[in-house]
Every structure is written in structure tokens, then in C-alpha cells.
Amino acid sequence: MTTAPTEIDANIEPNSEPKIDFAKMNFLIPGIVQDASTGEILMLGFLNPVSYAKTLETGYVTFWSRTRQKLWMKGETSGNRLRVVSAATDCDNDTLVFKVVVEGDGLVCHEGTVSCFTKPIPIQAQSQTPAVEEVQSGK
């Protein structure tokens, strides 16, 4: 018996999705959220088996809130929900990346920005290789 593929697993045959290794990190895995059209990394959250199943079921990223100890669908109050376009796991099956379309006004961060990654950290390189210098100069 076959079932109709969902938007999330349209390119995966039923029953062949990768088995996510939740046990490795105390049943929480990182979930990276990336804008499907721009490639910008928007946020990082954590999923447990229940929030992962909820994400697959609804098509919207659902996290496990470590501070509140409960399921948390991003945007459930703000309207800036994260509709999953595609999902993948890394080679170790212990980290997920979700390519999403942000609904609402597009502001993902609770600080009112599109991305949560807005605070640059200066890196003091001890010595730079020619390849690093080329990248930095745009060559």
C-alpha cells in the first residue's frame, strides 16, 4: 500500500526516510532553519522525536523548547510560521536542516529581525593563507 507523499518527503519513497539518531544527544537534535529562496540561515532550534513527528505531520517546523519544556511551533503567536519546503539530515543523522518559506511578515527572530544571526564576532586570524586573502578581497 502506498500513501501520497507529503510536501516534506516528496522525493523519498514511503518508509525509506533516514532514521534520525535522537539518542546521541539526550533525545534533542539541532534543527537549522534556512530561507528556501535566499539560502540565509534564519535560526537554530532543537527537536525531540515528538516535535520532529509534528513537523513531518503539519509541514511547519515545530521545536522542543528547552526552557519551557514543551512543544513550540515557531510563529504560533506571531504568525511568522516556518513552512517546510524541504528537509534533510546530515551524514550522521543527528542534525536537520529545514528549507522554509516564512509566513507572516518574515521576521523570524524574537528581536524583530529576519535572521537570529545578526551579531558579528570579530575573528583575529593569526596568519592568513593566500586562499583566505582571495576570498576576503573578492578575487
Side-chain angles (χ1 to χ4, degrees), residues 1 16 22 43 59 83 120 123 132:
M1 178 177 161
S16 68
F22 287 96
M43 67 173 292
R83 183 172 50 84
I123 304 294
V132 171

Side-chain angles (χ1 to χ4, degrees), residues 33 47 55 59-63 72-74 82 84 98 100:
V33 177
L47 293 90
T55 298
Y60 289 91
V61 181
T62 302
F63 296 108
W72 164 55
M73 180 184 287
K74 176 66 181 147
L82 306 171
V84 178
F98 297 101
V100 303

Side-chain angles (χ1 to χ4, degrees), residues 1 15 22 28-29 31 38-39 42-43 46 50 54 61 63 73-75 77-78 80-82 103-104 109 111 137:
M1 178 177 161
N15 302 322
F22 287 96
L28 288 178
I29 60 167
T38 67
L42 303 176
M43 67 173 292
F46 289 88
V50 175
K54 191 76 166 167
V61 181
F63 296 108
M73 180 184 287
K74 176 66 181 147
T77 56
S78 69
N80 297 317
R81 297 190 314 166
L82 306 171
E103 296 182 345
C109 184
E111 292 184 346
S137 66

